[in-house]
Amino acid sequence: MTVRDRVDAAFAAQPRTRFLPEGARYAADVDAPLQIGYGQTNSQPRTVHDMLMLLDVRRGMRVLDVGAGSGWTTALLAELTGPEGSVLGTEIVPELVEFGAGNVAGAGVPWARLVSAVPRALGAPDEAPFDRILVSAMAHGLPRELVEQLSPGGVMVVPVDGTMLRVVRGVPPVDAVAEAEVTEHGEYRFVPLLGG
Ligand SMILES: C[S@@+](CC[C@H](N)C(=O)[O-])C[C@H]1O[C@@H](n2cnc3c(N)ncnc32)[C@H](O)[C@@H]1O
């Protein structure tokens, strides 16, 4: 199965509708970000698809989903890891933690959970390292704190100052965060990563 096949299968298994507030469900098939309240959005499907292709999640991986919002990306990632892996979603808006966690709990993927972001920290430093990190909010500058939470050879996909970046942490002896390999993958718009 190619990466595209696996991502397509995840989309088919976790329809976006289930992760939208009732009032937004009529627009689930529209390829645009949709409001989920509190000034935040459920991301545009084409953008999520692009990011998951870049992230290349394999079965059994440990994945961190920063900016989990509605929980949709957390559930999609869980389809990609399968039950041999795990997904931790973090969200900073308390009302969305409740909304997103409820959606993930009903998604049939008990190896995924959505929790409140750790105050004054990015990601989940206490639960690192992760094989993959997805960031669904725009950072200003590469968040080194998150690169440090990658395992050696781990991959992060993150929008930074308008550009989608794919970051690969080096493997020893080239494991310094400063020497992570960073490639650029087009221009995107996102809500801001708070504290990032
Ligand atoms: C584009 S939205 C939601 C994307 C989500 N993956 C979805 O499809 O519903 C990005 C989310 O990131 C959250 N966010 C912003 N900064 C954050 C941070 N430092 N830690 C965790 N979540 C954050 C926002 O509150 C928002 O819900």
Side-chain angles (χ1 to χ4, degrees):
M1 237 185 176
T2 64
V3 186
R4 182 178 297 280
D5 289 340
R6 286 188 276 122
V7 173
D8 287 349
F11 268 67
Q14 295 292 344
R16 187 189 198 196
T17 324
R18 279 202 54 254
F19 297 86
L20 295 171
E22 246 175 70
R25 287 187 185 163
Y26 74 96
D29 292 337
V30 177
D31 188 30
L34 295 174
Q35 299 298 322
I36 54 174
Y38 313 96
Q40 305 302 336
T41 56
N42 169 284
S43 304
Q44 181 173 1
R46 187 169 49 84
T47 299
V48 175
H49 197 278
D50 290 349
M51 293 175 85
L52 293 182
M53 293 273 291
L54 286 171
L55 200 59
D56 189 16
V57 176
R58 309 290 175 87
R59 289 187 85 78
M61 283 186 164
R62 277 171 57 79
V63 181
L64 175 66
D65 183 24
V66 178
S70 67
W72 188 36
T73 46
T74 307
L76 290 168
L77 289 164
E79 292 295 334
L80 292 167
T81 67
E84 314 93 295
S86 64
V87 185
L88 176 64
T90 64
E91 171 52 49
I92 207 163
V93 176
E95 292 84 351
L96 291 179
V97 174
E98 195 181 336
F99 176 63
N103 290 339
V104 171
V109 284
W111 54 96
R113 64 200 163 99
L114 193 159
V115 300
S116 198
V118 180
R120 291 174 295 283
L122 267 184
D126 292 348
E127 303 207 31
F130 299 96
D131 302 306
R132 297 288 187 266
I133 300 178
L134 179 73
V135 185
S136 298
M138 185 74 74
H140 293 299
L142 182 61
R144 294 175 60 89
E145 220 175 318
L146 291 178
V147 182
E148 283 164 5
Q149 292 172 41
L150 282 171
S151 51
V155 177
M156 171 166 66
V157 172
V158 53
V160 175
D161 299 318
T163 302
M164 191 63 72
L165 300 185
R166 183 177 198 265
V167 181
V168 184
R169 184 169 179 165
V171 289
V174 190
D175 190 22
V177 168
E179 293 179 55
E181 178 195 303
V182 180
T183 50
E184 298 188 357
H185 299 271
E187 306 299 304
Y188 290 84
R189 292 170 64 116
F190 271 92
V191 296
L193 180 67
L194 304 173

